[in-house]
Amino acid sequence: MAFKPNSTQQITFDDTFLNLPPRVQHFVKKSWAMGFSEIVFPAINEKRFAVLYSDNPASRPNAPVNAIIGSLMLKEMFNLTDEDLLESILCDVRYQVALRTTSFKEQPFSDRTFSRFRERLYQHELETGEDLLKDEMQALAETFRQYLGIEPTLKRMDSLMVSSNSRKMSRLEILYTCVANLVKTVHRTGETQLLKNREHFLKEEDRNQFLYHRRNEDLDGRLQEIIDHGASLLQTLPEHYGEFEEYQLLQRVMKEQTHTDKDGKATPKAKKDVSPQSLQNPSDPDATYRRKAGKDHKGYVANIVETTDEKGSLITAYDYQPNSHSDSHFCQKTIEQMGHQEQKTTLVADGAYASVANEAAATEKNIQLITTALIGKLPDEVQAQFVLDTDHKKVIKCPAGQKPYKTRFYEKSETYRASFSQGTCDECPLRDKCGVKFQKKSSYVMVSEKMIIRAAYLKQMSSEEYRRIAKIRNGVEGIPSVMRRTYKVDHIPVRGYLRSKTWFGFKIGAINTKRVLKGALQAKKVACIFVNITAIFRKTQLGVKSLPLAC
């Protein structure tokens, strides 16, 4: 299929929309469709996706890419299935106006158009690592930001967990499922002689019998039994079975859930030794485990960066990773992607994003990183006044201005020990705040560069300006709620990291589209009010009894 730009975007003389009754045209022009057609659709860069198609002009041309992307954003805006979306495009003129397809003799979509496009995105990223959809959604967000006139110098950030669309499984169930899946694969190849008394895994009732009907038996015994089956199966099968996904998953789960004792036998690991990145469900191998805020999560995590001011807010950047990815790593990556800012830019986040390294990286790129709370043990603000000689690894003076008689640097922990003579700290008014410890003949304090930076940051956070900016962050906390309630982010009907990321990207595009259409509508209302007030003023001055209003 060859890439062909969509040239049929302007209304022609035989356009379907022009043949509609004036009343219908009036309602369509007042609807969301006209704003989508005028603002969103022209901003879609279809040439970005040309790499998904053949460069052979003799092959069949593709369906209009900008119309497909626009359709998939409308699908998320109105919470439609692919079937509902196709019906809406075929039967509802508003969708045709929004996608500028009213001049087509027949709508250029089939029941497989949208799923095939998502598959092309998936295969491209799988082969190249390039996320075309993310690039396009962020480029659209920048276009919308400029359209609404939102200043780019204030951003806020938050993360949300995205549940995997797969059932939660116990260790026993994961191991059983992987063994049973591989047994069924071997059976399909016809090499049944390799199963050796494992044919019972082929029976439908065997699963319930093993997992539930034998609950009165010792769990450790059943766990060891299924591990023995898995280990012997991997040893028995020829090398060519290593190409099967079922073989690879069993091999992975055995490595994650078991260890080999001194006799060479595979035995189950203790639960605490099983990695959070271990297999959670064979049907979704990419999903990982994480416990956050006292809750268990299985799936993925997304990071949202929102640009905001009094004119509105838009999601201008996002990231999507397995949920073992920490907020601090998201912050580090966001700062790197933002690069050096010509104007001083403020990035507001919660305490989980805070770290000395992130603060230093942000400062280097002219970014002011503000976190609304510091995690870990909080230093006293007084400790920010320690003076260090980092070149010679010495403590110059304490917050009270006293010089230590001896200092020592511990390279492994990157901490300084400053020793003071007897009596120096006894009467000091800051001794309860600087962290000093008393001995029989002397006193000492342990400090580090990180502690001093954190103390200085804590002192800075207490200012009124910091409190004001920190309050701005609260607005971004509504996005996780909206994505769960309105956009059903925890019920994405696909499994796997890359596939679910594609769906998530269209949801981000839908949120921004709603916001830019709302902003455009409000701007239009303000303009209409201004025109009407002007008309009323002219009417009063001219003594005219009736003057038509603009809207």
Side-chain angles (χ1 to χ4, degrees), residues 312-356:
S313 58
L314 288 167
I315 300 173
T316 50
Y318 70 94
D319 200 0
Y320 188 86
Q321 298 290 340
N323 69 9
S324 55
H325 210 75
S326 70
D327 288 349
S328 180
H329 288 149
F330 275 130
C331 185
Q332 179 183 355
K333 191 173 180 180
T334 299
I335 292 170
E336 289 175 0
Q337 291 176 343
M338 287 175 65
H340 189 272
Q341 301 292 298
E342 295 182 3
Q343 294 179 279
K344 184 77 172 180
T345 301
T346 301
L347 179 61
V348 190
D350 64 27
Y353 291 87
S355 77
V356 175

Side-chain angles (χ1 to χ4, degrees), residues 255-281:
K255 183 178 180 180
E256 294 169 343
Q257 297 281 354
T258 69
H259 59 77
T260 306
D261 60 18
K262 59 183 180 180
D263 298 326
K265 183 178 180 179
T267 56
K269 288 182 179 179
K271 280 188 176 182
K272 62 177 182 171
D273 296 330
V274 178
S275 169
Q277 298 183 14
S278 63
L279 185 69
Q280 302 296 307
N281 189 312

